[in-house]
Amino acid sequence: MKIGIDIGGSHIATGIIDKNGKLITKQTRDVNINKIEEEKRVENLILEIIHNEIETLLKQYDYTNQDISKIGISVPGSPKGTKIRNLVNLNVEEFDIGKELEKMYKVPIKIKNDGKCAGIAEKKYGSLKNFKDCIFLCIGTGVGSAVFLDGDLLEPIQNPGFEFGHMIIEKEGRQCNCGKKGCFETYASMKKFKANAIEYLKLDKNLEAEEVQKYIRENIKNNNVNKFVNEYLENVSIGVSNIVNIFEPQAISFGGSFSYYEDIFLPILQKKVEEKMFNLDSKCILLSAKLKNDAGMIGATEI
Ligand SMILES: [Zn+2]
């Protein structure tokens, strides 16, 4: 069996995955970097959590270290080799986590960007299984992605690449965390969607994402709500149609919290993207991801 690990912005999920890519069991632990004692480094805390989680899972299922054939890690930022790098939310610049885990478990440790890991899982076992040229777009706090051409994941030598979230879609547009202005992410991310919904629809500032969703669902026929959703999807369609015109994918699968709105968003987005497609005889089906939150973990064991 393999161990899949998904390091998120504020949590670490660890799971046992069988040889057919099926998740047997998983555990999730919160990582609160504000609560770390001063002398302790966040890198050590991450390693400690992963080690404890693996040991607990092994015990629960009567496995030993010898049963593990591989450990795969899905992580945000720009991992390189066995190092995790630029984890903004966890405040880690660079840490060779693979080297440390290899010492403990003596098995191959594979690490890849989270958008790519989730995309690999969707391509092999989920919504993109039947397509050769396809793209996975994870729209959540940011925008993650994986591009497949003729069945293969495209991977540049220098960095993970395909930073669609930082494709500029508006000159002098909204300020992005990356330092530039007008990035796709500042219009498309679900973090911005929620913040803008609260502002534009004059909702209570303390509403959770689920409550905003409930409000939008219940009031979708209301003019203001409809206009807001349409404006959001118009922006999303600019980025998505740019991607379609460059890569000519047969399908794009959407993951992240964007997919919670799949029934509302996808039909409208499909139409808006089609209006902006250069090759009118091309077809690109917009789909919702299947493996949801487990995709990163599963994909990490397929690297
Ligand atoms: Zn940016």
Side-chain angles (χ1 to χ4, degrees):
M1 56 82 168
K2 303 175 206 171
I3 299 283
I5 298 162
D6 182 11
I7 303 181
S10 57
H11 75 275
I12 294 176
T14 310
I16 294 181
I17 289 136
D18 74 8
K19 60 179 191 316
N20 302 315
K22 197 168 170 272
L23 180 68
I24 312 285
T25 182
K26 69 165 178 177
Q27 289 179 164
T28 304
R29 274 270 303 273
D30 286 335
V31 188
N32 192 339
I33 56 167
N34 301 320
K35 280 192 183 160
I36 301 178
E37 305 129 53
E38 245 177 58
E39 68 276 14
K40 202 166 183 176
R41 296 179 62 210
V42 62
E43 287 88 340
N44 293 331
L45 177 74
I46 294 172
L47 191 63
E48 193 183 300
I49 292 178
I50 290 177
H51 178 63
N52 286 340
E53 296 290 277
I54 295 177
E55 294 304 310
T56 318
L57 288 175
L58 291 180
K59 255 186 220 142
Q60 269 176 13
Y61 283 76
D62 264 340
Y63 281 126
T64 67
N65 286 1
Q66 274 74 43
D67 294 309
I68 307 174
S69 61
K70 185 199 263 184
I71 298 177
I73 306 176
S74 156
V75 66
S78 318
K80 204 164 202 178
T82 54
K83 290 178 184 158
I84 55 177
R85 301 189 309 161
N86 316 326
L87 266 65
V88 185
N89 289 324
L90 290 176
N91 213 0
V92 175
E93 263 185 44
E94 188 173 303
F95 176 42
D96 199 339
I97 194 169
K99 203 170 124 196
E100 300 301 322
L101 286 171
E102 220 168 291
K103 277 187 218 158
M104 291 177 186
Y105 295 99
K106 319 241 173 335
V107 291
I109 314 289
K110 302 284 183 180
I111 302 176
K112 210 182 272 290
N113 167 271
D114 50 3
K116 299 240 181 345
C117 285
I120 289 168
E122 285 296 331
K123 173 80 186 75
K124 192 150 189 197
Y125 303 110
S127 53
L128 298 171
K129 212 164 68 179
N130 300 321
F131 302 97
K132 280 193 147 188
D133 296 338
C134 53
I135 292 174
F136 174 70
L137 265 191
C138 179
I139 304 187
T141 317
V143 178
S145 68
V147 177
F148 299 87
L149 279 187
D150 201 21
D152 294 328
L153 175 71
L154 297 186
E155 285 189 288
I157 295 167
Q158 304 188 82
N159 272 303
F162 303 102
E163 294 289 358
F164 296 133
H166 301 285
M167 157 175 64
I168 294 169
I169 63 164
E170 178 86 49
K171 188 184 168 195
E172 296 299 319
R174 294 176 189 163
Q175 183 65 47
C176 182
N177 286 337
C178 76
K180 316 274 191 311
K181 277 181 182 168
C183 292
F184 180 51
E185 179 166 306
T186 66
Y187 295 87
S189 90
M190 291 306 286
K191 196 175 157 188
K192 293 285 176 199
F193 176 81
K194 183 194 161 197
N196 291 339
I198 287 174
E199 195 191 326
Y200 184 84
L201 303 171
K202 298 185 176 62
L203 307 177
D204 179 350
K205 278 192 180 65
N206 300 315
L207 285 189
E208 297 289 338
E210 293 77 24
E211 294 167 303
V212 172
Q213 190 190 155
K214 190 168 177 273
Y215 178 86
I216 288 178
R217 285 190 173 282
E218 284 170 359
N219 297 283
I220 192 68
K221 294 222 164 78
N222 167 297
N223 260 351
N224 264 350
V225 175
N226 201 278
K227 211 174 134 202
F228 170 74
V229 169
N230 262 286
E231 178 63 23
Y232 167 73
L233 292 172
E234 184 58 35
N235 287 325
V236 175
S237 76
I238 293 173
V240 173
S241 60
N242 287 343
I243 296 169
V244 170
N245 289 334
I246 294 168
F247 294 99
E248 284 288 322
Q250 299 162 293
I252 298 181
S253 170
F254 291 85
S257 40
F258 184 92
S259 63
Y260 302 158
Y261 287 87
E262 58 173 302
D263 54 323
I264 298 177
F265 286 178
L266 291 185
I268 305 173
L269 187 60
Q270 179 85 48
K271 208 170 152 267
K272 288 184 183 292
V273 168
E274 277 168 12
E275 285 165 5
K276 298 175 185 66
M277 272 164 61
F278 174 73
N279 288 315
L280 297 175
D281 58 341
S282 290
K283 262 204 163 52
C284 176
I285 308 166
L286 306 186
L287 306 160
S288 185
K290 252 191 192 159
L291 303 163
K292 307 289 176 204
N293 291 333
D294 300 331
M297 220 188 299
I298 296 170
T301 63
E302 298 287 338
I303 313 167

